[in-house]
Amino acid sequence: VLFRPDTYVAHLLDGVFLVQQLRNSVQPINCVFLRCYFSDFLWAFALCCGLLAVTNVTTKGAIWCGVITVGCGWLWECLQWVGLMSGTGDFMDMLLYLAAVVVAGIMYVKGLDK
């Protein structure tokens, strides 16, 4: 919402004074990773953590939660590449989905050890 003012959520919050003030303070930050890629990492991380929390699986089941998360992300990117979804398919997004699943999986498995 703060780094990409052209998103749907950002348009919904345009009238909120605090959001406008925060957006104006971070606007000079021109970091491509924060503007374009970090949100993709976060949604994949959140989806994987959510699946792991809801299913409460063992280590082998955690792999399936990761496969589902990466599969959803990669499917979304492929649909963008072929033009069936709006947006542009990006290979970096695909790598970040995988990285998010690895981070979430490691955190989950380490939590099972305790």
Side-chain angles (χ1 to χ4, degrees):
V1 171
L2 298 177
F3 296 111
R4 293 182 66 189
D6 59 336
T7 62
Y8 298 117
V9 176
H11 287 293
L12 290 174
L13 298 176
D14 270 344
V16 179
F17 177 75
L18 180 61
V19 172
Q20 289 175 338
Q21 295 301 317
L22 288 171
R23 188 180 295 150
N24 290 338
S25 66
V26 298
Q27 206 64 329
I29 300 172
N30 193 15
C31 179
V32 174
F33 179 78
L34 286 177
R35 278 191 307 113
C36 300
Y37 298 114
F38 190 58
S39 59
D40 291 329
F41 176 87
L42 288 178
W43 86 253
F45 181 79
L47 176 61
C48 190
C49 286
L51 289 173
L52 291 168
V54 169
T55 58
N56 196 21
V57 293
T58 61
T59 304
K60 286 185 180 182
I63 293 172
W64 282 110
C65 291
V67 168
I68 291 169
T69 302
V70 170
C72 288
W74 286 8
L75 176 66
W76 187 267
E77 293 299 320
C78 290
L79 291 174
Q80 289 177 349
W81 270 324
V82 297
L84 293 175
M85 298 294 294
S86 65
T88 56
D90 191 2
F91 184 70
M92 181 67 168
D93 286 342
M94 295 174 88
L95 290 177
L96 285 173
Y97 300 147
L98 188 60
V101 164
V102 168
V103 170
I106 289 172
M107 289 174 62
Y108 183 77
V109 170
K110 290 294 181 183
L112 288 178
D113 292 341
K114 293 185 177 191

